[in-house]
Amino acid sequence: MGPLPTVSSAQLTLLELYAGAKTFINRRQETCMTERPYDPIAIVESDAAPLSGRHAAVAIWLWSLAGLVFLMVIVGGATRLTESGLSITEWKPMAGVIPPLSSAEWLAEFENYKKIPQYTQLFPDMDLRGFKFIFFFEWTHRLLGRLIGAAMVLPLIFFWAKGLLPPGFKPKLLCVLALGALQGFVGWWMVKSGLSDRVEVAQERLAIHLLLASLTFAALVWLAASLKRRVAQIPERRLPELRWFAGVMVLLVLLQIGLGGLVAGLRAGRAFNTWPLIDGYFWPPLDKLTLLTPLWRNFLDNILLVQFQHRMTAYALLALALAQALYASRAGVGSRAVRRAWAVAGLVAVQASIGVTTLVLVVPLWAGLLHQAFAMIVLGMAVAHAQALANAR
């Protein structure tokens, strides 16, 4: 046998490099066989997860603001139901923060209240103690409005300055801020309508005031919910119909809240306190529904029509909520959208039963407040559902 061939150091190095490269390729091929296929949604989800983490403080702030607006609506309902809304006859954005502190200041406020028709026609026997009771309802309502303004502006400045706001949020938050500022002016415009020539605020202004609060609440819920992102669970072809249902639901809930404001302003819930019939009819005769002239006045001033349209819209809302839930059950089997749709339908059904109870009992304070609070809960759930579908989940 002849001598073995010698291998130079350079050749040995090349052999080692070749062996290492081959091992790397083999391992890479084995890894690729076990990896999941390319999924663009999963990539979006992985990119979105840090976004939610980075903006967790913003989300908490927005949910807190929505909670404050919710509380504001409840306090506003209590102010209306206790006839307290006209107890403060002046608008003092800064000085009004501090309530009367001395006996002389209380007497001065009481004398101002005695000058308006509500006192002379409805509560001529009211004493100073009774006035203080209604005053503190309205004062608390206004103070809460100022608190919401501060809770909106100060954190907004901080998050803006620190660059912590999500992309595209700046103009949206400025719009919400503008809604809040407009709400303050509309609130005084509403109160002013009851300081002369009538014993309560104008019902159409009350409805606008309530609708603006509801829009502000809905906008905050939408923005807060948009910071939570998940992988889509619904086929793309089914999304347009589901989004249509969800969008119409939100609009119909807002319409129903506005109609509820008209009912509240007219005290229409204290009339026709039977169900399912109203004034002895399920559908009253046209001549009773169009009693006033011109015709448009009936939609604002005719107690029968105002309550009737609130009832009919409730039936339509319940039917739409059930239709949405049934369609979602077929279109998105096993998805979160199905659970949300049925939650909306359940909440609407509960709200309808609360409304009937409130009517039949002639609007006791607890039932009126519960009805108003549940309206905001229905709105919040409907908005969260619509926003989730906008993010395709």
Side-chain angles (χ1 to χ4, degrees):
M1 179 181 291
L4 294 173
T6 59
V7 180
S8 66
S9 60
Q11 289 175 320
L12 184 60
T13 302
L14 289 173
L15 287 171
E16 291 174 347
L17 288 174
Y18 172 77
K22 188 174 181 179
T23 301
F24 172 79
I25 292 171
N26 289 336
R27 289 178 178 173
R28 181 59 182 167
Q29 288 176 341
E30 291 173 359
T31 303
C32 290
M33 292 294 291
T34 60
E35 284 181 346
R36 290 187 299 176
Y38 170 75
D39 184 355
I41 295 177
I43 291 175
V44 172
E45 173 66 11
S46 64
D47 289 342
L51 177 68
S52 299
R54 288 200 307 271
H55 301 298
V58 176
I60 293 171
W61 168 55
L62 291 173
W63 283 119
S64 300
L65 278 176
L68 284 173
V69 174
F70 178 88
L71 179 61
M72 180 74 160
V73 171
I74 307 309
V75 174
T79 301
R80 172 184 54 81
L81 288 168
T82 56
E83 303 289 353
S84 304
L86 298 177
S87 57
I88 302 178
T89 59
E90 298 175 313
W91 191 33
K92 300 176 180 178
M94 299 304 295
V97 175
I98 302 174
L101 299 177
S102 65
S103 297
E105 290 175 340
W106 274 115
L107 288 173
E109 287 288 347
F110 193 22
E111 289 302 317
N112 288 335
Y113 179 66
K114 287 180 178 179
K115 297 174 185 177
I116 68 173
Q118 187 183 78
Y119 172 82
T120 57
Q121 296 180 35
L122 293 185
F123 308 119
D125 298 327
M126 180 181 287
D127 57 13
L128 182 60
R129 182 179 179 182
F131 173 71
K132 288 182 178 181
F133 175 79
I134 64 172
F135 181 94
F136 271 111
F137 270 105
E138 175 65 8
W139 178 79
T140 301
H141 187 53
R142 297 190 186 193
L143 182 65
L144 189 54
R146 295 179 176 98
L147 175 62
I148 291 173
M152 178 70 191
V153 172
L154 297 180
L156 177 59
I157 293 172
F158 172 80
F159 289 130
W160 194 310
K162 293 292 185 178
L164 296 176
L165 294 175
F169 262 49
K170 291 179 181 179
K172 296 173 184 176
L173 288 171
L174 289 177
C175 288
V176 174
L177 184 61
L179 270 177
L182 179 62
Q183 179 74 317
F185 287 103
V186 170
W188 174 245
W189 176 61
M190 176 189 69
V191 168
K192 196 173 180 181
S193 69
L195 298 180
S196 60
D197 302 326
R198 55 188 304 159
V199 297
E200 72 286 312
V201 300
Q203 65 271 18
E204 65 275 9
R205 298 189 187 188
L206 174 64
I208 293 171
H209 190 50
L210 180 58
L211 266 177
L212 278 176
S214 302
L215 285 170
T216 305
F217 175 75
L220 290 168
V221 170
W222 180 281
L223 291 175
S226 70
L227 292 176
K228 185 178 182 180
R229 300 184 180 181
R230 294 175 179 171
V231 179
Q233 294 182 321
I234 304 169
E236 184 67 32
R237 69 181 187 279
R238 298 289 193 177
L239 283 173
E241 292 85 0
L242 288 170
R243 286 169 176 163
W244 180 88
F245 267 116
V248 175
M249 273 295 302
V250 171
L251 292 177
L252 198 56
V253 171
L254 286 170
L255 173 63
Q256 180 70 331
I257 289 173
L259 294 175
L262 291 177
V263 171
L266 273 179
R267 279 59 174 173
R270 301 184 184 277
F272 311 114
N273 300 103
T274 58
W275 185 86
L277 301 182
I278 177 172
D279 197 27
Y281 308 91
F282 181 78
W283 193 288
L286 187 61
D287 60 327
K288 290 192 173 186
L289 295 175
T290 57
L291 189 64
L292 305 177
T293 55
L295 183 63
W296 62 265
R297 279 191 58 208
N298 290 279
F299 295 95
L300 300 177
D301 298 324
N302 184 337
I303 292 178
L304 179 63
L305 180 57
V306 167
Q307 191 190 119
F308 177 69
Q309 63 194 11
H310 191 51
R311 290 190 185 202
M312 292 298 108
T313 305
Y315 297 147
L317 191 59
L318 181 57
L320 181 64
L322 290 172
Q324 174 184 237
L326 291 170
Y327 183 80
S329 297
R330 189 181 67 177
V333 179
S335 68
R336 286 179 292 270
V338 176
R339 296 192 291 272
R340 288 194 306 268
W342 279 110
V344 171
L347 289 172
V348 171
V350 173
Q351 172 68 340
S353 65
I354 294 172
V356 171
T357 302
T358 304
L359 175 72
V360 172
L361 296 180
V362 198
V363 199
L365 179 61
W366 67 267
L369 291 181
L370 182 61
H371 192 45
Q372 187 154 325
F374 227 82
M376 302 306 292
I377 293 172
V378 171
L379 176 61
M381 188 65 212
V383 169
H385 178 55
Q387 203 292 318
L389 289 173
N391 276 5
R393 64 179 191 269

